[in-house]
């Protein structure tokens, strides 16, 4: 359902869903650390990994190539500073 909604928005807007959300929601709200790109988030130096109880690192689970597939159902990568104002 969510992916279908993102597809509808992209079709009606004529731009990819991630670009639409970036230009219409994220940028106007000044959410500078929010992105749909895992590599973009990693470049900020603020992306954290998940760790097991045994101190084993679990890598970030999706690459840029599939980020658009997760965008509709909540694939935004953000931080607490951007989410609270």
């Amino acid at each position: 359902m969510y992916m279908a909604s993102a597809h509808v928005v992209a079709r009606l807007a004529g731009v990819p869903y991630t670009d639409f959300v970036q230009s219409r929601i994220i940028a106007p709200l000044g959410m500078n650390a929010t992105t749909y790109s895992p590599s973009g988030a990693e470049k900020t130096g603020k992306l954290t990994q998940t760790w097991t109880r045994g101190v084993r690192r679990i890598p970030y689970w999706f690459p840029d190539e599939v980020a658009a597939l997760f965008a509709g159902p909540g694939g935004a990568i953000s931080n607490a500073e951007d989410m609270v104002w």
Side-chain angles (χ1 to χ4, degrees):
M1 175 67 170
Y2 294 110
M3 287 176 40
S5 300
H7 179 72
V8 169
V9 170
R11 293 288 300 229
L12 292 175
V15 295
Y17 177 78
T18 54
D19 293 347
F20 179 83
V21 173
Q22 181 68 36
S23 66
R24 298 284 185 101
I25 299 171
I26 295 171
L29 291 175
M31 299 172 74
N32 300 322
T34 302
T35 182
Y36 283 102
S37 167
S39 64
E42 189 172 19
K43 288 177 186 174
T44 68
K46 296 180 180 180
L47 181 68
T48 61
Q49 304 291 324
T50 302
W51 299 83
T52 66
R53 288 184 183 181
V55 193
R56 182 175 168 196
R57 185 175 72 88
I58 300 172
Y60 203 70
W61 61 279
F62 67 92
D64 283 334
E65 294 79 27
V66 297
L69 296 175
F70 298 109
I77 304 165
S78 193
N79 63 15
E81 199 172 286
D82 272 6
M83 300 302 279
V84 179
W85 38 277

